[in-house]
Amino acid sequence: MAWMPHAQAIAPLVRRLIGSHRVVFNVRQTLEELAAKPLHSRACISIAARASRSIDAVVYNSERGRLDHVAHGYAARRELVIGNGFEVPEPPSDAERLAARRALGLPAEPPVVLFVGR
């Protein structure tokens, strides 16, 4: 699994050196600000685009990232978009919201900020 363009650029070569193992690129960025990236990063993206033709699959974390990378030459075959987040359920009713606040000992009105992390 090659996560960054620098690793993606050399992954097919590494595969040849160590034998026949599957190689998958995991792309977790868009390229909307490509011109602002350092020259070596832009070069690695270009090399990785060519290398993507010889790997087993490319996994993207967003459709926008997939479209950007395909437009920059990444192979548009054996690709999969796996969303970068989670589904958010419908907002609770006012009664459910108040019940949850009461259960947590929170007053009814002030905003609550929640951070979900791993």
Side-chain angles (χ1 to χ4, degrees), residues 12-32:
L13 174 63
V14 171
R15 173 172 44 189
R16 281 188 213 109
L17 292 173
I18 64 173
S20 86
H21 289 78
R22 295 194 184 275
V23 174
V24 176
F25 289 0
N26 190 310
V27 177
R28 305 188 61 75
Q29 66 179 350
T30 66
L31 296 177
E32 69 182 283

Side-chain angles (χ1 to χ4, degrees), residues 3-97:
W3 292 77
M4 303 297 291
H6 301 71
Q8 294 168 1
I10 64 166
L13 174 63
V14 171
R15 173 172 44 189
R16 281 188 213 109
L17 292 173
I18 64 173
S20 86
H21 289 78
R22 295 194 184 275
V23 174
V24 176
F25 289 0
N26 190 310
V27 177
R28 305 188 61 75
Q29 66 179 350
T30 66
L31 296 177
E32 69 182 283
E33 296 181 9
L34 184 60
K37 294 189 180 300
L39 178 60
H40 70 279
S41 293
R42 293 192 313 261
C44 284
I45 289 167
S46 179
I47 294 166
R50 287 190 299 278
S52 71
R53 297 178 198 124
S54 68
I55 56 116
D56 298 292
V58 182
V59 177
Y60 297 93
N61 73 336
S62 71
E63 182 64 18
R64 173 66 189 269
R66 186 189 72 76
L67 292 172
D68 284 358
H69 283 76
V70 168
H72 281 85
Y74 275 63
R77 60 176 181 65
R78 290 182 286 187
E79 58 187 358
L80 176 66
V81 175
I82 299 175
N84 193 30
F86 49 90
E87 287 189 42
V88 177
E90 290 295 316
S93 68
D94 286 342
E96 291 170 323
R97 183 181 68 79

Side-chain angles (χ1 to χ4, degrees), residues 97-98 101 106-111:
R97 183 181 68 79
L98 289 172
R101 283 178 169 266
L106 298 172
E109 289 306 315

